[in-house]
């Protein structure tokens, strides 16, 4: 039989009373914060006049602090790139698959693996010319290409804009051509396309391309754009022509199937591509990264097949089944819930060191697509943006003033306001989280 002294009983009573008081204070504090967030996000708030959803989740305690419409589907726009990023982390092991090949004496046959880097000047360059230099003849096959230049649900009238470059198995120059304005005449950075320029009488101040062909038009009287960048129509024949001109050696188009004994030429680290995709929201790089994942998994380039595999293998534990159709988020057919996006951030956070993840994501007031938003003396928002007409999203991590890290997903669809107004109201919510959690 245990004996407890009067002093011990008094101590335990005092301790219990103090804990109860502290717990009550904590409960009141949590309740107040919740109510404040609800005022900012709930009925009669700015976000009540359109389809909006929000979720806030403590990454370390694994505690949901707030959610509103987190179970509902939203058009994610470029936050879709977080799915592509996660797929690349799971499959590619920080390497770029540039092309597959087999050799036969002085002859080499190559099949593109999707790497977007070659001659795309924002990316580190793979040493392709150096690798191919010993071979007197190059055979190019696209028999492993099982996809289409445009993704499912892409806007057809975006074809003339650089953010909608076509997908292809072996991209060169980022599948775009840039025209330098020299005395009101456009000069192409790719010699093949200079001879395809023709005059027209439109009032367009830039260069536009024929929808179906690589014929480019401009009006000498109205052309003022300093350096328009326009996607070109891709095809195996165009790829072969570009290869010939770059390598200055015979290149022949063949239909040879990819053999099982092919080798892979890896262009370098994947990290610069991932960073450009996330920070600058490069659609072309995102699509090509997903194609590299496809090449690694199946030895063919098929994004639909790849998305299905990634969802069943690595994303089966998401709270809600996503509708994921492309690598970039250009398609309005993509549909994700905020709580699935928060879960995805948690999975990415567990896959790589958090400081590396924060350095790859745009930082408020510092870098990428957040350079001019969410400014503060110390960055507190690390997140991927997503914007289409009447739709804006932000998904990532908030660092609070108490040095806690919260995953969040903030979706806004079908609003009639200006995007800048939506961002301004979103900032009020995120600043409150930073200062009070």
């Amino acid at each position: 039989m245990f004996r407890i002294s009067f002093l011990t009983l008094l101590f335990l009573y005092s301790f219990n009373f103090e804990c109860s008081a502290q717990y009550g204070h904590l409960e009141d504090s949590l309740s107040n914060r919740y109510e404040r967030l609800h005022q900012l996000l709930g009925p009669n708030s700015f976000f009540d006049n359109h389809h909006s959803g929000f979720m806030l989740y403590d990454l370390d305690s694994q505690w949901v602090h707030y959610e509103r419409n987190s179970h509902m589907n939203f058009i994610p726009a470029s936050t879709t790139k977080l799915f592509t990023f996660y797929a690349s982390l799971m499959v590619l092991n920080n390497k770029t698959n540039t092309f597959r090949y087999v050799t036969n004496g002085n002859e080499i046959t190559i099949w593109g693996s999707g790497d977007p880097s070659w001659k795309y000047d924002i990316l580190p360059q793979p040493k392709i010319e150096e690798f191919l230099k010993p071979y007197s003849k190059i055979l190019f096959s696209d028999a492993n290409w099982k996809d289409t230049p445009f993704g499912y649900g892409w806007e057809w009238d975006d074809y003339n804009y650089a953010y909608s470059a076509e997908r292809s198995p072996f991209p060169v120059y980022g599948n775009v051509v840039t025209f330098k304005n020299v005395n009101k005449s456009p000069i192409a950075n790719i010699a093949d396309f200079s001879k395809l320029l023709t005059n027209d009488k439109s009032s367009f101040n830039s260069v536009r391309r024929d929808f179906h062909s690589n014929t480019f038009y401009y009006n000498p009287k109205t052309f003022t754009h300093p350096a328009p960048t326009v996607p070109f129509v891709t095809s195996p024949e165009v790829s072969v022509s570009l290869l010939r001109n770059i390598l200055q050696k015979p290149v022949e188009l063949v239909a040879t199937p990819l053999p099982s004994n092919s080798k892979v030429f890896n262009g370098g680290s994947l990290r610069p591509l991932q960073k450009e995709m996330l920070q600058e929201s490069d659609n072309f790089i995102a699509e090509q990264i997903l194609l590299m994942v496809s090449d690694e998994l199946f030895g063919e380039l098929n994004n639909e097949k790849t998305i299905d595999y990634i969802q069943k293998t690595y994303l089966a534990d998401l709270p809600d089944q996503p509708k994921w159709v492309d690598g970039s988020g250009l398609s309005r057919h993509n549909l994700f819930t905020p709580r699935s996006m928060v879960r995805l951030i948690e999975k990415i956070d567990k896959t790589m060191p958090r400081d590396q993840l924060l350095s790859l994501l745009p930082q408020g007031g510092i870098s990428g697509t957040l350079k001019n938003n969410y400014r503060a003396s110390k960055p507190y928002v690390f997140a991927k943006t997503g914007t289409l007409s009447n739709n804006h999203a932000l998904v990532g991590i908030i660092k609070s003033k108490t040095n806690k890290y919260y995953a969040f997903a903030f979706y806004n669809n079908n609003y009639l306001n200006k995007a800048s107004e939506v961002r301004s109201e979103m900032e009020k919510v995120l600043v409150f989280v930073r200062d009070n959690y």
Side-chain angles (χ1 to χ4, degrees):
M1 187 174 185
F2 292 100
R3 295 180 181 271
I4 302 177
S5 70
F6 173 77
L7 290 175
T8 301
L9 286 171
L10 181 62
F11 170 77
L12 290 173
Y13 174 80
S14 300
F15 180 76
N16 185 58
F17 179 81
E18 184 178 343
C19 287
S20 297
Q22 288 177 350
Y23 180 79
H25 176 72
L26 175 62
E27 194 174 46
D28 289 342
S29 175
L30 290 173
S31 177
N32 289 337
R33 285 185 293 181
Y34 182 92
E35 287 302 320
R36 288 285 303 280
L37 269 181
H38 200 57
Q39 290 172 10
L40 289 168
L41 290 159
N44 302 316
S45 72
F46 172 85
F47 299 99
D48 196 33
N49 69 352
H50 60 264
H51 189 39
S52 66
F54 180 76
M55 185 170 183
L56 183 69
Y57 176 79
D58 189 324
L59 282 167
D60 298 312
S61 70
Q62 300 179 338
W63 187 8
V64 176
H65 281 264
Y66 186 89
E67 68 84 25
R68 180 174 183 269
N69 295 335
S70 69
H71 64 293
M72 298 180 71
N73 281 300
F74 292 84
I75 296 172
S78 281
T79 61
T80 303
K81 293 180 176 74
L82 291 166
F83 274 79
T84 301
F85 176 54
Y86 183 65
S88 70
L89 290 175
M90 294 295 98
V91 176
L92 290 176
N93 195 27
N94 197 27
K95 67 180 187 301
T96 58
N97 288 5
T98 302
F99 58 82
R100 293 179 179 265
Y101 67 94
V102 294
T103 59
N104 182 17
N106 291 329
E107 186 176 278
I108 184 171
T109 305
I110 62 176
W111 295 259
S113 295
D115 183 2
S117 305
W118 199 26
K119 303 297 181 182
Y120 195 18
D121 56 12
I122 62 174
L123 296 174
Q125 291 300 293
K127 297 180 179 179
I128 294 177
E129 289 106 320
E130 182 179 321
F131 180 80
L132 295 176
K133 189 175 182 180
Y135 302 98
S136 58
K137 185 176 182 181
I138 298 166
L139 306 178
F140 174 75
S141 173
D142 73 336
N144 62 330
W145 175 245
K146 309 294 183 182
D147 219 312
T148 57
F150 293 113
Y152 172 59
W154 287 11
E155 298 286 342
W156 70 267
D157 55 350
D158 286 344
Y159 80 93
N160 202 66
Y161 296 97
Y163 60 78
S164 193
E166 294 186 7
R167 309 184 293 197
S168 69
F170 197 14
V172 189
Y173 300 103
N175 287 350
V176 294
V177 55
T178 299
F179 296 90
K180 186 178 180 181
N181 188 334
V182 179
N183 298 322
K184 291 191 175 182
S185 294
I187 305 298
N189 67 321
I190 307 172
D192 292 42
F193 298 121
S194 290
K195 58 189 177 184
L196 299 174
L197 271 164
T198 185
N199 295 359
D200 73 356
K201 296 181 180 180
S202 71
S203 59
F204 201 50
N205 73 343
S206 189
V207 174
R208 62 183 180 86
R209 198 200 77 217
D210 179 72
F211 183 69
H212 295 290
S213 71
N214 284 321
T215 302
F216 299 87
Y217 300 94
Y218 79 104
N219 185 342
K221 294 181 179 180
T222 60
F223 179 62
T224 57
H225 198 294
T229 297
V230 183
F232 56 78
V233 177
T234 60
S235 69
E237 292 77 16
V238 168
S239 296
V240 165
S241 177
L242 293 173
L243 282 167
R244 285 190 191 125
N245 289 341
I246 294 169
L247 300 172
Q248 292 295 297
K249 62 176 63 180
V251 181
E252 181 181 333
L253 180 61
V254 295
T256 309
L258 181 67
S260 59
N261 64 339
S262 65
K263 297 179 181 179
V264 181
F265 176 81
N266 299 118
S269 170
L270 185 64
R271 197 67 83 220
L273 282 71
Q274 293 170 326
K275 187 172 184 178
E276 190 71 21
M277 172 182 69
L278 294 175
Q279 294 212 358
E280 302 303 329
S281 204
D282 191 300
N283 296 319
F284 175 66
I285 293 175
E287 295 296 336
Q288 298 296 140
I289 285 178
L290 197 58
L291 287 172
M292 283 193 286
V293 172
S294 181
D295 171 81
E296 182 72 15
L297 290 173
F298 309 115
E300 65 179 41
L301 306 180
N302 185 326
N303 275 355
E304 182 178 357
K305 183 177 179 180
T306 302
I307 287 171
D308 182 65
Y309 176 88
I310 295 297
Q311 288 192 101
K312 290 177 179 177
T313 307
Y314 299 107
L315 299 172
D317 59 343
L318 293 182
D320 307 288
Q321 176 77 21
K323 186 177 182 182
W324 177 22
V325 303
D326 68 5
S328 62
L330 277 172
S331 176
R332 290 176 182 262
H333 290 288
N334 292 301
L335 289 171
F336 305 149
T337 65
R339 64 187 183 186
S340 284
M341 295 305 295
V342 164
R343 176 66 178 136
L344 180 66
I345 290 294
E346 183 181 34
K347 289 166 76 69
I348 295 171
D349 183 60
K350 290 179 178 178
T351 301
M352 65 190 306
R354 186 173 292 167
D355 59 341
Q356 288 185 23
L357 173 57
L358 298 182
S359 70
L360 287 172
L361 290 168
Q363 300 181 33
I366 301 292
S367 61
T369 54
L370 290 183
K371 187 175 183 179
N372 298 317
N373 302 109
Y374 307 102
R375 291 175 175 171
S377 57
K378 292 182 180 180
Y380 68 100
V381 175
F382 307 81
K384 182 73 200 75
T385 57
T387 305
L388 292 169
S389 298
N390 311 111
N391 296 276
H392 183 68
L394 192 65
V395 176
I397 294 174
I398 300 175
K399 182 181 180 181
S400 73
K401 286 188 174 180
T402 58
N403 291 320
K404 292 184 178 181
Y405 294 88
Y406 297 88
F408 75 96
F410 206 157
Y411 280 106
N412 296 276
N413 285 180
N414 305 325
Y415 54 79
L416 296 178
N417 306 77
K418 294 179 180 178
S420 59
E421 295 175 0
V422 176
R423 284 194 297 268
S424 178
E425 294 298 321
M426 290 170 66
E427 186 171 12
K428 294 177 185 178
V429 174
L430 300 186
V431 166
F432 177 80
V433 172
R434 178 199 66 185
D435 294 344
N436 293 278
Y437 279 83

